[in-house]
Amino acid sequence: MAKKLYVGNLSYSTTEESLNGLFAQFGEVVSAVVIKDRATGQSKGFGFVELADEAAADKAIEEWNGKEFEGRRIRVNVAEERKPRPPRFNQDQGVRG
């Protein structure tokens, strides 16, 4: 079963390709995403990697958490589910959305 990892404190120059390459050594990478600012397209310094095998994901955490990658000491741990956000209220239109 696949396991999703949070990867924090990334260099702003880290790409999805380099992130994929870092974790491919542990097994099949299902997805690798660097989170970017919507307005500027600039990396926010964190991302997510999903590995096909749970044991490979655990090994990746053990190997890379606290280690240096592209000049930064990265944080790697199991990604937590995002808590649902309450609906936003648009005061200009008086509607939720």
Side-chain angles (χ1 to χ4, degrees), residues 6-9 22-23 60-69 71-77:
Y6 166 84
V7 186
N9 201 35
L22 175 67
F23 287 91
I61 292 169
E62 182 182 314
E63 182 73 28
W64 279 104
N65 188 39
K67 301 284 176 42
E68 191 170 308
F69 176 66
R72 303 286 301 260
R73 189 174 302 271
I74 62 172
R75 177 179 164 202
V76 182
N77 59 325

Side-chain angles (χ1 to χ4, degrees), residues 6-25:
Y6 166 84
V7 186
N9 201 35
L10 291 171
S11 166
Y12 293 122
S13 63
T14 298
T15 64
E16 292 174 351
E17 292 78 23
S18 64
L19 196 57
N20 188 321
L22 175 67
F23 287 91
Q25 63 185 304

Side-chain angles (χ1 to χ4, degrees), residues 1-7 19-20 23 27-33 47-53 57:
M1 181 166 183
K3 193 171 201 177
K4 194 171 196 176
L5 304 178
Y6 166 84
V7 186
L19 196 57
N20 188 321
F23 287 91
E28 179 188 350
V29 176
V30 176
S31 65
V33 179
F48 297 94
V49 175
E50 188 172 4
L51 292 169
D53 180 60

Side-chain angles (χ1 to χ4, degrees), residues 4 7 26 34 45 50 79 95-96:
K4 194 171 196 176
V7 186
F26 300 100
V34 173
E50 188 172 4
V95 296
R96 292 189 182 272

